Amino acid sequence: MKPDLATITAFVTVARARGFREGARLSGGSASRLSEQIRRLEAQLGVRLFNRSTRSVTLTEAGEGLLKRLSPAIDEMELALDVVNSFRDRPVGNLKLNVPTVVARLILPKILPGFIAAYPDIRVEILTEESFVDVLAEGCDAGIRYDEALELDMIAVPIGPATQRYALAASPAYLEMHGMPEHPGDLLEHACIRGRFSSGAIMEWEFERGDELIEVNPGGPLLVRPGGGTDLAIDAASDGTGIIYLFEDWLKPWLDDGRLVPILQDWWLQFPGPKLYYPDRRLVPSPLRAFIDYIKAHPWTV
């Protein structure tokens, strides 16, 4: 007997969710039913599709191959069914976005409340991730990243401010003890709070003034993971641990109340704001289309 559509859909759901419990949560079903469907599918095909342990569920080589072939067909079927949404008064469904922490912190709070109020039948799920990921493989509708992290063959739509800046700052106590840097090169003689990405790379500090662009790689007493460790880095800087280099908007409350003092302000690097990106395909899910239309109709205001 050939596997039915429900069983195939169960396989794709568990594979994308990387687990039965998460798959059940996303699909609104039960983990036990998904597990039974997968066992039946494996028996019908005569091959194991998942490696199961008490801690994880991962695809076998056969499972990886099957998912790769099935995913485009499942996506196309879901998009075809989504066409029905165009006949509703308001779009209905789920919108899952993959974004870095800085976007979740600085950009989305000014967009999502209005969007959710305008489209109450759309449920929004935000997944924070610092590295670039394959949004489709992660089960996301779209992602938000900066230009250097965008893949080719993606449609990109500006979201948030057109430009942003990196700011450099330290506490008054630190500057009183160690002095104010006068040039980016002076940072090599200071204690600096750095960020190390999950890849192991440490973020370079870049500065520009006119046509001059300078990169420095100073040392310091503290390394944090961007995103989850950023608030710790700010607290450490405001307590006098060292100099911090971060998005100006994120540091703004500390700069405004004097807990941090701006350094080398005429050297702060300006760069383009983030973009919403999604695959170039014929049909766009109606919740994502509604979100794209919303951000285009509501230009960013600071």
Side-chain angles (χ1 to χ4, degrees):
M1 183 175 65
K2 293 183 179 180
D4 58 24
L5 182 58
T7 303
I8 292 173
T9 302
F11 164 74
V12 174
T13 298
V14 174
R16 288 177 171 177
R18 299 177 183 176
F20 292 98
R21 290 183 180 177
E22 180 65 10
R25 185 186 70 81
L26 293 174
S27 64
S30 70
S32 60
R33 177 167 174 75
L34 284 176
S35 181
E36 175 58 32
Q37 288 175 303
I38 297 304
R39 281 196 294 268
R40 188 186 315 124
L41 178 61
E42 290 176 328
Q44 291 171 338
L45 297 177
V47 64
R48 180 177 290 277
L49 301 173
F50 292 94
N51 293 313
R52 304 166 177 82
S53 72
T54 56
R55 293 187 177 183
S56 66
V57 176
T58 59
L59 286 166
T60 63
E61 185 177 356
E64 291 278 5
L66 182 60
L67 178 64
K68 185 176 181 180
R69 295 298 298 271
L70 285 177
S71 288
I74 293 293
D75 290 340
E76 187 64 24
M77 182 186 69
E78 291 175 349
L79 288 170
L81 291 173
D82 188 63
V83 170
V84 175
N85 255 327
S86 64
F87 295 94
R88 299 178 184 272
D89 292 334
R90 295 182 303 194
V92 176
N94 300 320
L95 174 63
K96 187 174 182 181
L97 301 177
N98 186 293
V99 309
T101 302
V102 65
V103 168
R105 177 69 176 263
L106 302 179
I107 309 297
L108 292 183
K110 297 184 179 181
I111 296 174
L112 283 183
F115 174 74
I116 291 172
Y119 297 96
D121 296 322
I122 294 177
R123 186 183 73 170
V124 180
E125 181 176 356
I126 302 299
L127 178 67
T128 55
E129 175 78 38
E130 301 311 310
S131 59
F132 183 85
V133 298
D134 183 334
V135 292
L136 290 183
E138 293 292 321
C140 297
D141 298 293
I144 300 176
R145 288 296 187 277
Y146 289 86
D147 283 342
E148 70 275 8
L150 292 178
E151 270 193 349
L152 298 175
D153 302 323
M154 289 280 179
I155 296 176
V157 179
I159 181 171
T163 60
Q164 293 179 271
R165 290 198 302 177
Y166 278 113
L168 191 72
S171 70
Y174 175 88
L175 294 173
E176 182 177 351
M177 180 176 295
H178 300 282
M180 175 72 75
E182 300 296 333
H183 184 272
D186 296 341
L187 296 172
L188 297 174
E189 306 300 324
H190 283 265
C192 296
I193 300 170
R194 306 296 303 279
R196 186 194 296 276
F197 296 107
S198 57
S199 65
I202 297 178
M203 179 182 174
E204 293 284 348
W205 285 12
E206 296 181 293
F207 301 91
E208 66 175 357
R209 187 173 65 180
D211 295 330
E212 190 174 4
L213 180 65
I214 295 177
E215 291 185 2
V216 296
N217 186 24
L222 179 63
L223 277 170
V224 301
R225 178 72 59 83
T230 300
D231 285 334
L232 171 62
I234 296 174
D235 288 341
S238 63
D239 286 338
T241 300
I243 297 174
I244 189 169
Y245 177 87
L246 190 63
F247 287 83
E248 179 184 7
D249 293 338
W250 205 327
L251 290 181
K252 191 175 187 303
W254 285 264
L255 294 169
D256 287 347
D257 65 18
R259 285 176 290 172
L260 291 176
V261 176
I263 298 172
L264 301 174
Q265 199 163 1
D266 57 341
W267 283 93
W268 287 4
L269 180 71
Q270 183 171 287
F271 55 94
K275 293 184 174 62
L276 176 80
Y277 71 95
Y278 58 98
D280 185 1
R281 56 191 181 188
R282 183 168 54 86
L283 294 174
V284 175
S286 57
L288 176 57
R289 172 52 58 194
F291 188 66
I292 294 168
D293 291 342
Y294 182 85
I295 62 176
K296 287 182 176 179
H298 296 79
W300 181 263
T301 56
V302 178

